[in-house]
Amino acid sequence: MNTISASAPPARIRPLALGAKVCRKLGGLIAPRDHAGKGNWDTNADIPPLVAWCAGLGFSAFLLFGQQVLGWLLRIIV
């Protein structure tokens, strides 16, 4: 008896699978290095230390002083 098995594509895309696919694509944009073992490491994906330090200091300054600065700007505009 001969049997032929072929996998057919799904009739419809499940929302959970679609959400997982979108998250994988966004994760690839945010963190281009392969931390999950899907492929080779990319040495060009490193963030330069000066840029990382500047971004960290800017983010911490925004968290610490953002409300005051935004308040000053709103008072000047209004």
Side-chain angles (χ1 to χ4, degrees):
M1 180 173 181
N2 294 334
T3 19
I4 298 174
S5 63
S7 59
R12 63 182 177 92
I13 299 175
R14 295 183 176 166
L16 188 60
L18 181 64
K21 185 176 180 181
V22 168
C23 288
R24 276 193 304 270
K25 297 268 186 187
L26 285 176
L29 289 174
I30 295 169
R33 293 182 82 168
D34 185 14
H35 296 284
K38 293 183 291 186
N40 295 327
W41 286 81
D42 184 11
T43 56
N44 294 330
D46 289 333
I47 300 172
L50 181 64
V51 174
W53 275 99
C54 290
L57 289 174
F59 183 66
S60 61
F62 174 74
L63 289 179
L64 290 173
F65 308 114
Q67 279 185 328
Q68 291 176 349
V69 172
L70 289 175
W72 293 335
L73 288 175
L74 284 175
R75 273 189 235 122
I76 290 172
I77 293 171
V78 176

